[in-house]
Amino acid sequence: QVQLVESGGGSVQAGGTLRLSCAASGFMPRVASCMAWFRQAPGKSREGVAGAFPGVGSLFYTASVKGRFTISYDNANYTLYLQMNSLKVEDTATYYCAADPTGCSSWDRAADYPHWGQGTQVTVSS
């Protein structure tokens, strides 16, 4: 059974940093496997923040976080990370880890992912 457990959220001031972790169990990433970080702010739809195809090393970012966030995957302990620097108030949201062991057509389509973590809150204050 696939399980995703997130950690690392919290409250920071604008300009600060946070690192989110998502420990994956129950599957071993294959070439086509995809994993991603999504976020959802109150009253807004869930949006893709960053995605990765661990098997081939491809990384993707939504435009608003490019240059500030870095997604990475540790093959040794099956953990997905999101390093968030220069945080802005508009980054405030619940962040979710998602995985599709069999592959996805588009990294930022939430409907493509069958497995989700429980979410971790990130709050950025001015």
Side-chain angles (χ1 to χ4, degrees), residues 86-110:
S86 302
L87 281 161
K88 302 177 180 181
V89 172
E90 51 264 42
D91 294 319
T92 296
T94 301
Y95 283 70
Y96 298 89
C97 173
D100 187 344
T102 62
C104 48
S105 58
S106 179
W107 72 269
D108 58 350
R109 282 187 60 193

Side-chain angles (χ1 to χ4, degrees), residues 60-101:
F60 304 91
Y61 299 94
T62 193
S64 63
V65 307
K66 281 183 180 178
R68 300 189 298 121
F69 290 11
T70 302
I71 188 172
S72 61
Y73 183 78
D74 187 333
N75 284 295
N77 59 18
Y78 305 117
T79 301
L80 184 73
Y81 298 100
L82 185 67
Q83 177 68 42
M84 304 186 294
N85 299 331
S86 302
L87 281 161
K88 302 177 180 181
V89 172
E90 51 264 42
D91 294 319
T92 296
T94 301
Y95 283 70
Y96 298 89
C97 173
D100 187 344

